[in-house]
Amino acid sequence: MMAIAGLIGGLGLVAMISRKSVLGLLVGIQLLIIGSTMIFVIAGLHSGLRIQGHIFGLFITLGGIAQLVVGYSLAIRLFFLKRRISMDDLQALKQ
Amino acid sequence: MMSWIFSGITLAAVLMATFVGHMRVAILALWVAGLGIGAVYLTLGAEFLAIVQWIVSTLVTISFLFFAVMFGEYHPPAVKRNSKTLFVQIVSLVLGCIFTICIALISRNLPSGPQTEFADGSDLRLVGRVLTQENLLSLEVLALTLFLVLVGGGVVARSEGGDTI
Protein backbone atom coordinates (compact mmCIF):
# COMPACT_ATOMS: atom_id res chain seq x y z
CA MET A 1 0.00 0.00 0.00
CA MET A 2 2.88 2.35 0.77
CA ALA A 3 4.34 1.64 -2.67
CA ILE A 4 1.04 2.68 -4.25
CA ALA A 5 1.13 5.91 -2.27
CA GLY A 6 4.68 6.48 -3.45
CA LEU A 7 3.62 5.75 -7.02
CA ILE A 8 0.82 8.31 -6.78
CA GLY A 9 3.30 10.89 -5.50
CA GLY A 10 5.81 9.94 -8.21
CA LEU A 11 3.18 10.36 -10.92
CA GLY A 12 2.34 13.75 -9.44
CA LEU A 13 6.01 14.65 -9.76
CA VAL A 14 5.93 13.52 -13.40
CA ALA A 15 2.87 15.70 -14.06
CA MET A 16 4.52 18.66 -12.33
CA ILE A 17 7.59 18.50 -14.53
CA SER A 18 6.11 17.47 -17.85
CA ARG A 19 2.96 19.63 -17.98
CA LYS A 20 3.28 22.86 -19.93
CA SER A 21 0.56 24.99 -18.32
CA VAL A 22 0.23 26.34 -14.80
CA LEU A 23 -3.02 24.44 -14.27
CA GLY A 24 -1.22 21.21 -15.22
CA LEU A 25 1.46 22.04 -12.67
CA LEU A 26 -1.23 22.55 -10.02
CA VAL A 27 -2.84 19.21 -10.94
CA GLY A 28 0.56 17.55 -10.42
CA ILE A 29 1.01 19.24 -7.06
CA GLN A 30 -2.43 18.03 -5.99
CA LEU A 31 -1.48 14.47 -6.92
CA LEU A 32 1.77 14.82 -4.96
CA ILE A 33 -0.18 16.07 -1.95
CA ILE A 34 -2.64 13.18 -2.22
CA GLY A 35 0.23 10.69 -2.30
CA SER A 36 2.06 12.26 0.62
CA THR A 37 -1.13 12.36 2.69
CA MET A 38 -1.65 8.66 2.03
CA ILE A 39 1.96 7.96 3.02
CA PHE A 40 1.45 9.63 6.40
CA VAL A 41 -1.84 7.84 7.05
CA ILE A 42 -0.38 4.42 6.24
CA ALA A 43 2.84 5.13 8.15
CA GLY A 44 0.78 6.13 11.19
CA LEU A 45 -1.27 2.97 10.90
CA HIS A 46 1.80 0.74 10.68
CA SER A 47 3.83 2.47 13.37
CA GLY A 48 1.08 2.50 15.99
CA LEU A 49 0.49 6.29 15.79
CA ARG A 50 -2.74 6.18 13.83
CA ILE A 51 -4.30 9.46 14.97
CA GLN A 52 -1.03 11.35 14.53
CA GLY A 53 -0.92 10.13 10.94
CA HIS A 54 -4.44 11.45 10.43
CA ILE A 55 -3.50 14.82 11.90
CA PHE A 56 -0.44 15.09 9.65
CA GLY A 57 -2.61 14.14 6.66
CA LEU A 58 -5.15 16.78 7.60
CA PHE A 59 -2.50 19.48 7.84
CA ILE A 60 -0.98 18.46 4.49
CA THR A 61 -4.39 18.49 2.79
CA LEU A 62 -5.27 21.92 4.16
CA GLY A 63 -1.78 23.23 3.35
CA GLY A 64 -2.44 22.05 -0.20
CA ILE A 65 -5.36 24.48 -0.36
CA ALA A 66 -2.97 27.31 0.50
CA GLN A 67 -0.60 26.43 -2.33
CA LEU A 68 -3.57 26.10 -4.68
CA VAL A 69 -4.69 29.65 -3.85
CA VAL A 70 -1.16 30.95 -4.49
CA GLY A 71 -1.01 29.02 -7.77
CA TYR A 72 -4.33 30.47 -8.91
CA SER A 73 -3.11 33.96 -8.01
CA LEU A 74 0.07 33.52 -10.03
CA ALA A 75 -1.93 32.09 -12.93
CA ILE A 76 -4.30 35.10 -12.88
CA ARG A 77 -1.33 37.45 -12.72
CA LEU A 78 0.32 35.65 -15.63
CA PHE A 79 -2.90 35.75 -17.62
CA PHE A 80 -3.17 39.52 -17.06
CA LEU A 81 0.32 39.98 -18.50
CA LYS A 82 0.62 37.36 -21.26
CA ARG A 83 -2.98 36.35 -22.06
CA ARG A 84 -1.98 32.72 -21.62
CA ILE A 85 -0.68 30.60 -18.74
CA SER A 86 2.19 28.69 -20.28
CA MET A 87 4.98 27.67 -17.92
CA ASP A 88 7.53 29.11 -20.36
CA ASP A 89 6.19 32.60 -19.65
CA LEU A 90 6.53 32.26 -15.89
CA GLN A 91 9.72 34.28 -15.69
CA ALA A 92 8.62 37.82 -14.89
CA LEU A 93 5.40 38.81 -13.13
CA LYS A 94 5.97 42.55 -13.47
CA GLN A 95 5.11 44.62 -16.53
CA MET B 1 -9.54 -6.28 -0.02
CA MET B 2 -11.74 -3.21 -0.49
CA SER B 3 -8.80 -0.92 0.14
CA TRP B 4 -6.86 -2.62 -2.68
CA ILE B 5 -9.80 -2.20 -5.07
CA PHE B 6 -10.09 1.49 -4.24
CA SER B 7 -6.30 1.83 -4.53
CA GLY B 8 -6.47 0.36 -8.04
CA ILE B 9 -9.22 2.79 -9.05
CA THR B 10 -7.22 5.67 -7.59
CA LEU B 11 -4.06 4.59 -9.37
CA ALA B 12 -5.89 4.36 -12.71
CA ALA B 13 -7.31 7.86 -12.19
CA VAL B 14 -3.89 9.22 -11.25
CA LEU B 15 -2.35 7.69 -14.37
CA MET B 16 -5.05 9.33 -16.47
CA ALA B 17 -4.60 12.69 -14.74
CA THR B 18 -0.87 12.53 -15.37
CA PHE B 19 -0.67 11.44 -18.97
CA VAL B 20 -3.91 12.53 -20.67
CA GLY B 21 -3.61 15.54 -22.93
CA HIS B 22 -6.94 17.30 -22.37
CA MET B 23 -7.08 19.38 -19.23
CA ARG B 24 -10.80 18.68 -18.79
CA VAL B 25 -10.22 14.92 -18.61
CA ALA B 26 -7.19 15.40 -16.35
CA ILE B 27 -9.22 17.49 -13.91
CA LEU B 28 -12.06 14.96 -13.80
CA ALA B 29 -9.50 12.17 -13.30
CA LEU B 30 -8.05 14.17 -10.40
CA TRP B 31 -11.53 14.29 -8.89
CA VAL B 32 -11.92 10.52 -9.22
CA ALA B 33 -8.48 10.09 -7.63
CA GLY B 34 -9.54 12.27 -4.70
CA LEU B 35 -12.76 10.32 -4.22
CA GLY B 36 -10.87 7.03 -4.46
CA ILE B 37 -8.26 8.06 -1.95
CA GLY B 38 -11.06 9.12 0.41
CA ALA B 39 -12.56 5.65 0.05
CA VAL B 40 -9.14 4.14 0.86
CA TYR B 41 -9.01 6.29 4.01
CA LEU B 42 -12.47 5.06 4.91
CA THR B 43 -11.34 1.45 4.70
CA LEU B 44 -8.26 2.29 6.79
CA GLY B 45 -10.36 3.75 9.62
CA ALA B 46 -9.71 7.42 8.85
CA GLU B 47 -13.28 8.63 8.51
CA PHE B 48 -12.60 12.25 9.34
CA LEU B 49 -9.77 12.50 6.81
CA ALA B 50 -11.92 10.75 4.20
CA ILE B 51 -14.68 13.34 4.58
CA VAL B 52 -12.16 16.19 4.43
CA GLN B 53 -10.55 14.64 1.34
CA TRP B 54 -13.90 14.29 -0.44
CA ILE B 55 -14.90 17.88 0.30
CA VAL B 56 -11.49 19.29 -0.68
CA SER B 57 -11.30 17.21 -3.87
CA THR B 58 -14.75 18.29 -5.01
CA LEU B 59 -14.10 21.97 -4.34
CA VAL B 60 -10.66 21.78 -5.97
CA THR B 61 -12.17 20.13 -9.05
CA ILE B 62 -14.86 22.81 -9.35
CA SER B 63 -12.26 25.55 -9.06
CA PHE B 64 -9.97 23.80 -11.57
CA LEU B 65 -12.82 23.55 -14.08
CA PHE B 66 -13.71 27.19 -13.51
CA PHE B 67 -10.15 28.38 -14.06
CA ALA B 68 -9.61 26.03 -17.02
CA VAL B 69 -12.61 27.57 -18.77
CA MET B 70 -11.49 31.08 -17.82
CA PHE B 71 -7.92 30.60 -19.08
CA GLY B 72 -8.91 28.85 -22.30
CA GLU B 73 -7.37 25.56 -21.16
CA TYR B 74 -10.62 23.61 -21.35
CA HIS B 75 -9.91 22.66 -24.96
CA PRO B 76 -6.22 23.50 -25.32
CA PRO B 77 -4.57 23.44 -28.76
CA ALA B 78 -2.46 20.40 -29.58
CA VAL B 79 1.19 20.83 -28.61
CA LYS B 80 3.86 19.72 -31.03
CA ARG B 81 6.32 17.26 -29.53
CA ASN B 82 9.96 18.06 -30.12
CA SER B 83 13.19 16.66 -28.70
CA LYS B 84 13.14 19.01 -25.69
CA THR B 85 9.62 17.93 -24.74
CA LEU B 86 10.62 14.29 -25.03
CA PHE B 87 13.71 14.89 -22.90
CA VAL B 88 11.67 16.60 -20.20
CA GLN B 89 9.16 13.75 -20.19
CA ILE B 90 11.89 11.13 -19.86
CA VAL B 91 13.58 13.06 -17.05
CA SER B 92 10.26 13.46 -15.24
CA LEU B 93 9.55 9.74 -15.57
CA VAL B 94 12.99 8.90 -14.16
CA LEU B 95 12.49 11.28 -11.24
CA GLY B 96 9.04 9.84 -10.58
CA CYS B 97 10.46 6.31 -10.56
CA ILE B 98 13.24 7.40 -8.15
CA PHE B 99 10.64 8.97 -5.85
CA THR B 100 8.51 5.81 -5.88
CA ILE B 101 11.48 3.53 -5.25
CA CYS B 102 12.67 5.72 -2.37
CA ILE B 103 9.24 5.58 -0.71
CA ALA B 104 9.06 1.81 -1.23
CA LEU B 105 12.53 1.34 0.28
CA ILE B 106 11.77 3.58 3.26
CA SER B 107 8.53 1.70 3.93
CA ARG B 108 10.53 -1.49 4.43
CA ASN B 109 11.57 -0.14 7.84
CA LEU B 110 7.95 -0.04 8.98
CA PRO B 111 6.31 -3.04 10.61
CA SER B 112 4.50 -5.22 8.11
CA GLY B 113 0.99 -5.03 9.53
CA PRO B 114 -1.17 -2.41 11.25
CA GLN B 115 -0.05 -1.95 14.85
CA THR B 116 -3.34 -0.68 16.14
CA GLU B 117 -6.68 -2.27 15.58
CA PHE B 118 -9.14 0.43 14.66
CA ALA B 119 -12.68 -0.03 15.81
CA ASP B 120 -15.56 0.29 13.44
CA GLY B 121 -17.24 3.65 13.56
CA SER B 122 -16.20 7.23 13.77
CA ASP B 123 -12.91 8.46 15.20
CA LEU B 124 -14.05 12.09 15.17
CA ARG B 125 -13.93 12.44 18.95
CA LEU B 126 -10.35 11.17 19.20
CA VAL B 127 -9.12 13.26 16.28
CA GLY B 128 -10.82 16.35 17.67
CA ARG B 129 -9.30 15.80 21.10
CA VAL B 130 -5.78 15.32 19.74
CA LEU B 131 -6.19 18.24 17.37
CA THR B 132 -7.34 20.70 20.03
CA GLN B 133 -5.26 19.51 22.97
CA GLU B 134 -1.93 18.53 21.42
CA ASN B 135 -1.83 20.42 18.12
CA LEU B 136 -3.63 23.64 18.93
CA LEU B 137 -0.67 25.86 18.00
CA SER B 138 -0.24 24.05 14.68
CA LEU B 139 -3.94 24.55 13.99
CA GLU B 140 -3.67 28.27 14.72
CA VAL B 141 -0.59 28.60 12.50
CA LEU B 142 -2.44 26.79 9.71
CA ALA B 143 -5.46 29.06 10.08
CA LEU B 144 -3.24 32.15 10.02
CA THR B 145 -1.40 30.81 6.96
CA LEU B 146 -4.66 30.24 5.10
CA PHE B 147 -5.84 33.75 6.00
CA LEU B 148 -2.58 35.34 4.85
CA VAL B 149 -2.61 33.29 1.65
CA LEU B 150 -6.13 34.47 0.86
CA VAL B 151 -5.18 38.12 1.40
CA GLY B 152 -1.84 37.73 -0.42
CA GLY B 153 -3.51 35.92 -3.32
CA GLY B 154 -5.88 38.84 -3.76
CA VAL B 155 -2.95 41.27 -3.74
CA VAL B 156 -0.88 39.27 -6.24
CA ALA B 157 -3.79 38.73 -8.62
CA ARG B 158 -4.82 42.41 -8.76
CA SER B 159 -4.68 44.25 -12.05
CA GLU B 160 -1.99 46.87 -12.64
CA GLY B 161 -4.35 49.75 -13.26
CA GLY B 162 -6.14 49.32 -9.97
CA ASP B 163 -9.43 48.63 -11.70
CA THR B 164 -12.16 47.24 -9.54
CA ILE B 165 -14.48 44.52 -10.70
Side-chain angles (χ1 to χ4, degrees), chain B residues 30-54:
Chain B
L30 179 69
W31 184 42
V32 175
L35 296 182
I37 213 83
V40 172
Y41 293 156
L42 205 60
T43 58
L44 293 177
E47 294 91 355
F48 178 62
L49 202 55
I51 294 168
V52 170
Q53 183 67 50
W54 284 333

Side-chain angles (χ1 to χ4, degrees), chain B:
Chain B
M1 181 64 187
M2 288 301 289
S3 61
W4 287 105
I5 293 173
F6 287 127
S7 297
I9 294 171
T10 305
L11 199 55
V14 169
L15 279 168
M16 189 176 284
T18 304
F19 293 111
V20 80
H22 278 274
M23 186 57 66
R24 173 187 53 178
V25 182
I27 292 168
L28 291 177
L30 179 69
W31 184 42
V32 175
L35 296 182
I37 213 83
V40 172
Y41 293 156
L42 205 60
T43 58
L44 293 177
E47 294 91 355
F48 178 62
L49 202 55
I51 294 168
V52 170
Q53 183 67 50
W54 284 333
I55 294 172
V56 166
S57 291
T58 305
L59 294 180
V60 162
T61 303
I62 291 170
S63 64
F64 264 127
L65 284 174
F66 175 72
F67 278 96
V69 171
M70 198 168 69
F71 292 142
E73 292 283 320
Y74 199 66
H75 293 292
V79 180
K80 279 188 176 179
R81 292 194 173 188
N82 52 19
S83 59
K84 184 187 172 187
T85 308
L86 189 64
F87 176 73
V88 169
Q89 286 181 344
I90 291 173
V91 168
S92 64
L93 278 173
V94 170
L95 286 176
C97 289
I98 291 173
F99 181 86
T100 307
I101 291 169
C102 287
I103 294 296
L105 289 177
I106 290 170
S107 67
R108 283 183 156 190
N109 296 326
L110 291 171
S112 58
Q115 296 299 302
T116 51
E117 290 296 329
F118 47 87
D120 292 334
S122 175
D123 61 348
L124 278 177
R125 181 179 298 176
L126 192 54
V127 170
R129 188 184 302 145
V130 172
L131 200 59
T132 53
Q133 290 181 355
E134 298 178 16
N135 299 284
L136 189 59
L137 182 61
S138 308
L139 197 64
E140 292 295 332
V141 169
L142 178 69
L144 188 63
T145 304
L146 287 172
F147 173 70
L148 290 177
V149 159
L150 281 176
V151 175
V155 171
V156 169
R158 76 190 188 286
S159 62
E160 278 292 321
D163 297 332
T164 55
I165 298 173

Side-chain angles (χ1 to χ4, degrees), chain A residues 19 38 45-46 72-73 77 80, chain B residues 17 20 63 111 115 153 160:
Chain A
R19 290 276 183 184
M38 191 173 174
L45 190 65
H46 283 248
Y72 283 152
S73 306
R77 182 74 182 161
F80 269 142
Chain B
V20 80
S63 64
Q115 296 299 302
E160 278 292 321

Side-chain angles (χ1 to χ4, degrees), chain A residues 16-91:
Chain A
M16 275 176 64
I17 297 172
S18 61
R19 290 276 183 184
K20 283 289 184 183
S21 69
V22 178
L23 286 184
L25 172 77
L26 293 177
V27 168
I29 293 175
Q30 282 298 312
L31 291 177
L32 193 58
I33 286 172
I34 285 175
S36 55
T37 307
M38 191 173 174
I39 288 171
F40 271 97
V41 170
I42 295 170
L45 190 65
H46 283 248
S47 61
L49 299 169
R50 186 172 65 93
I51 297 299
Q52 278 75 11
H54 296 182
I55 299 292
F56 268 97
L58 182 69
F59 280 133
I60 292 170
T61 304
L62 296 181
I65 296 175
Q67 67 82 24
L68 196 66
V69 172
V70 173
Y72 283 152
S73 306
L74 290 176
I76 291 172
R77 182 74 182 161
L78 195 63
F79 194 73
F80 269 142
L81 299 176
K82 308 280 185 183
R83 296 297 163 191
R84 57 181 188 166
I85 53 168
S86 173
M87 284 297 291
D88 297 331
D89 298 329
L90 199 60
Q91 295 174 356

